[in-house]
Amino acid sequence: NAGVTQTPKFQVLKTGQSMTLQCAQDMNHNSMYWYRQDPGMGLRLIYYSASEGTTDKGEVPNGYNVSRLNKREFSLRLESAAPSQTSVYFCASSEPAGENIQYFGAGTRLSVL
Amino acid sequence: GENVEQHPSTLSVQEGDSAVIKCTYSDSASNYFPWYKQELGKRPQLIIDIRSNVGEKKDQRIAVTLNKTAKHFSLHITETQPEDSAVYFCAATQDTGRRALTFGSGTRLQVQP
């Protein structure tokens, strides 16, 4: 039982490049989330998906797109990376019908040069 | 939307002493308040949570208290140990709607041996 798995763990991009961060959970959770964490700040919500087939914007969605491919997978795409997107990205999942505890992946450390 | 303030930003205690971290929230509809511990380079891990139908919850050396009227909640760690050193985040959310967490900015706890 792996929980929430994120790939890659580290990535360096040049300004303007694109990439997709992958997230998968094996806990049969309905809800999934993408957060970013910047130094000295708490995690901020980028996008979330309440259930398969639905996505919605969070606090800081600009410059990102998401896809809820199926119940297990929720990807985050940067179409044209900017230095301001240098951050650590965490994916999380929860089951709203249950205790609704959020479980986090190990994170992706992204640097945009 | 919800806003969570967390204090202090850093806290240094001697091993064996108690540590208290405080958070306030703005949205009176919030009813779920988890606390996460994050070690350097690791994912946030849930250590304790409280729902608005109780005022206090305890788990061994850690406890959380909630004052709904004042809209604040606190984390108490007794008999601190060096392995308690980490960054602690409070968060708030509702048990309905998107259920995404709004995080405080974090407290770096250093336990001196």
Side-chain angles (χ1 to χ4, degrees), chain A:
Chain A
N1 189 338
V4 180
T5 303
Q6 290 183 237
T7 55
K9 287 185 168 40
F10 302 94
Q11 184 71 49
V12 179
L13 293 177
K14 294 181 180 178
T15 297
Q17 287 185 317
S18 63
M19 78 161 295
T20 299
L21 281 65
Q22 307 286 354
C23 176
Q25 51 93 8
D26 61 4
M27 295 176 283
N28 202 35
H29 286 169
N30 276 295
S31 297
M32 297 186 73
Y33 311 84
W34 276 105
Y35 295 90
R36 62 176 286 173
Q37 184 176 31
D38 301 305
M41 300 182 72
L43 285 75
R44 292 182 294 167
L45 182 69
I46 305 171
Y47 269 94
Y48 70 100
S49 171
S51 60
E52 184 179 353
T54 69
T55 61
D56 213 337
K57 295 178 180 179
E59 186 184 347
V60 287
N62 291 344
Y64 305 96
N65 285 301
V66 291
S67 295
R68 183 74 183 267
L69 305 169
N70 48 54
K71 191 173 185 179
R72 289 187 64 247
E73 298 172 290
F74 187 38
S75 62
L76 178 72
R77 183 161 178 83
L78 287 70
E79 291 290 351
S80 178
S84 61
Q85 294 179 304
T86 294
S87 189
V88 180
Y89 292 85
F90 287 99
C91 176
S93 71
S94 69
E95 180 44 58
E99 290 187 316
N100 198 33
I101 294 172
Q102 288 197 20
Y103 296 92
F104 286 84
T108 295
R109 189 173 296 275
L110 175 67
S111 293
V112 183
L113 306 178

Side-chain angles (χ1 to χ4, degrees), chain B residues 31-50:
Chain B
N31 56 6
Y32 175 61
F33 307 93
W35 285 88
Y36 285 84
K37 175 183 181 182
Q38 187 177 31
E39 296 175 348
L40 190 63
K42 301 288 182 64
R43 76 190 77 191
Q45 300 267 23
L46 180 73
I47 56 170
I48 195 167
D49 57 9
I50 191 167

Side-chain angles (χ1 to χ4, degrees), chain B residues 15-17 61 77-85 109 111:
Chain B
E15 183 177 357
D17 286 351
R61 295 188 297 107
I77 305 174
T78 59
E79 300 171 27
T80 53
Q81 301 166 4
E83 52 265 38
D84 294 329
S85 297
L109 174 65
V111 180

Side-chain angles (χ1 to χ4, degrees), chain B residues 66 71 73 87 102 112:
Chain B
L66 171 65
K71 289 193 278 196
F73 56 113
V87 179
T102 300
Q112 307 287 350

